[in-house]
Amino acid sequence: MARTIGVEEEMLLVDVRNGRPRSVSGQLLVRAEGQPPPVAGLGVHGAVEGEFQQQQIETHTAPAADLETLRVEVLRWRREAFAAARASGSSVAALGTSPLPVRPIPAKSTRYAWIEDRYQRTAREHLTCGCHVHVSVESDEEGVAVLDRIRIWMPVLLALSANSPFWDGEDTGFASYRTQSLVRWPSWGPTDRFGSPEAYHRLVREMVLTSVILDEGMVYFDARLAQHYPTVEIRAADVCFTVEEAIVIAAICRGLVETAAQEWAAGIEAPDVPTAMLRLATWQAAREGLSGQLLDPVTGRPKPCWEVVGALVEHITPALEAVGDVAAVQDGLARLRDEGNGAIRQRRMFERTGQLVDVVAESVRATAHAAD
């Protein structure tokens, strides 16, 4: 039986006139909560929810066993977010960061107030959007075995999805500047190998006991065991520019999880790559995206990005074949190579017009395409 997949997408709420983020998530959520089930549902039904800042919103799909069902789910919840935003005179943009300057405004909650007080300027400046993919696992033991084996591939997912080159009105030089914002948070990024669920849970517990983070929900690893679902949650990707890119990322994540689970069952050791090297690989992926070189996950040496992507696809091809995802991944990657990821598209538009508002407008059009 195929592993189920679910997708969470964080997106910006923007003014339709000037492209700047708007703090209207409260208005959107009132609308969403007024809808009949399952629009206001959670878990198996999907949802539109608020996030840390009022200028963003998050969608959750229901879990799906095949890519076509997942595509319908992602489309559905982008449509719901778009319709809710339109009712407040705003729109939705699937961008990893705001190209235009913004003063983030935290949502009102006791938890978010604690975060703002604890992290000060880091929290006040934080406004980023990611794509989180949930893939089902049989147990914590299998889940941790998966985490230990997929960690070396997280930078490649970041490169494929990179969609945040602009920050505070300028080109940062990074394909994913979202990662440069996230690195300021103490629990973010790649992890060491855990070896067992006991070691994983012990580390999380000890992190919370430091009081540097508030709770388990603030363990912002590249990939982690989900708190409320029997899944591995893969968090490395920027929010994707298009629905099709999100589906490709999700399919690759399922392929990685299945491959890792099979390796664990066969007694194949997790790759012994130092976390320090994974941090370098993440930085390189954030800097170059699909426009340069990535670090080979095994040798640590730089290679043309599409060679490293090819190695990832070769690694997971048997798992993709088992669920019929090969063609979807190959076609999606061919489209990415031809058209570029979000970072490339954003820069292309800016080169064409010289106006960051046009960059936001193009993203709104791409996001709104789901509502057609």
Side-chain angles (χ1 to χ4, degrees):
M1 182 180 295
R3 296 177 187 272
T4 59
I5 330 170
V7 172
E8 301 173 2
E9 292 190 294
E10 299 165 339
M11 292 178 283
L12 296 178
L13 299 167
V14 298
D15 191 305
V16 295
R17 297 162 297 181
N18 58 30
R20 291 179 180 269
R22 293 188 68 198
S23 55
V24 294
S25 65
Q27 299 175 42
L28 270 65
L29 294 174
V30 167
R31 179 192 184 281
E33 289 169 3
Q35 298 293 323
V39 172
L42 296 173
V44 297
H45 298 302
V48 174
E49 295 184 327
E51 251 296 335
F52 178 44
Q53 307 294 4
Q54 294 186 39
Q55 293 102 328
Q56 63 186 154
I57 199 163
E58 183 176 54
T59 63
H60 301 240
T61 73
D66 63 88
L67 296 186
E68 186 52 39
T69 301
L70 183 65
R71 181 180 291 104
V72 170
E73 277 289 304
V74 174
L75 283 167
R76 174 188 181 186
W77 292 105
R78 282 200 179 197
R79 285 170 181 155
E80 177 61 28
F82 183 82
R86 185 166 50 194
S88 71
S90 306
S91 198
V92 179
L95 295 168
T97 54
S98 171
L100 293 158
V102 57
R103 183 176 70 85
I105 301 175
K108 302 299 183 183
S109 78
T110 302
R111 187 171 192 272
Y112 290 157
W114 187 96
I115 291 172
E116 185 181 17
D117 178 70
R118 184 68 165 127
Y119 296 101
Q120 293 293 311
R121 186 169 182 174
T122 293
R124 291 195 298 270
E125 294 180 348
H126 180 76
L127 181 58
T128 69
C129 297
C131 174
H132 304 160
V133 179
H134 287 258
V135 183
S136 63
V137 290
E138 292 295 324
S139 63
D140 279 6
E141 187 176 18
E142 182 181 70
V144 170
V146 165
L147 296 179
D148 286 352
R149 288 160 177 79
I150 67 173
R151 56 196 280 274
I152 66 172
W153 297 105
M154 295 299 98
V156 189
L157 289 179
L158 172 61
L160 289 167
S161 65
N163 186 25
S164 50
F166 296 105
W167 179 274
D168 198 26
E170 67 178 27
D171 192 324
T172 64
F174 285 79
S176 173
Y177 196 72
R178 165 182 163 269
T179 56
Q180 302 309 297
S181 176
L182 289 172
V183 77
R184 302 163 70 183
W185 295 83
S187 59
W188 177 82
T191 57
D192 296 339
R193 295 183 300 175
F194 298 106
S196 69
E198 292 77 18
Y200 175 91
H201 291 299
R202 181 168 59 250
L203 175 62
V204 171
R205 183 170 59 252
E206 290 176 353
M207 290 174 68
V208 174
L209 288 173
T210 67
S211 296
V212 173
I213 62 175
L214 177 61
D215 52 31
E216 185 177 340
M218 291 195 68
V219 176
Y220 300 142
F221 298 157
D222 282 351
R224 66 186 185 184
L225 298 182
Q227 284 183 270
H228 306 297
Y229 309 109
T231 64
V232 165
E233 181 186 2
I234 299 173
R235 305 167 51 87
D238 282 6
V239 67
C240 294
F241 199 80
T242 68
V243 169
E244 293 307 317
E245 290 171 41
I247 299 306
V248 170
I249 293 295
I252 291 173
C253 286
R254 178 162 65 174
L256 281 169
V257 170
E258 178 62 23
T259 301
Q262 290 182 13
E263 289 179 340
W264 168 65
I268 299 172
E269 287 293 319
D272 185 16
V273 177
T275 303
M277 292 299 293
L278 295 183
R279 292 189 180 279
L280 295 182
T282 301
W283 188 94
Q284 180 71 8
R287 176 68 174 82
E288 301 287 341
L290 295 178
S291 298
Q293 294 186 316
L294 300 176
L295 300 190
D296 183 285
V298 177
T299 68
R301 299 296 184 264
K303 286 185 176 180
C305 66
W306 286 103
E307 286 189 21
V308 180
V309 172
L312 167 59
V313 174
E314 182 179 1
H315 174 65
I316 64 173
T317 289
L320 296 178
E321 289 176 339
V323 290
D325 288 352
V326 172
V329 170
Q330 289 178 339
D331 292 347
L333 291 177
R335 190 180 304 110
L336 268 174
R337 190 164 190 170
D338 182 50
E339 300 176 3
N341 59 10
I344 292 170
R345 293 183 187 211
Q346 288 191 54
R347 284 177 168 143
R348 189 182 298 143
M349 174 57 74
F350 186 68
E351 290 170 3
R352 189 178 307 143
T353 72
Q355 300 293 323
L356 288 174
V357 66
D358 294 331
V359 174
V360 178
E362 184 183 32
S363 173
V364 167
R365 285 192 293 270
T367 308
H369 180 67
D372 290 345

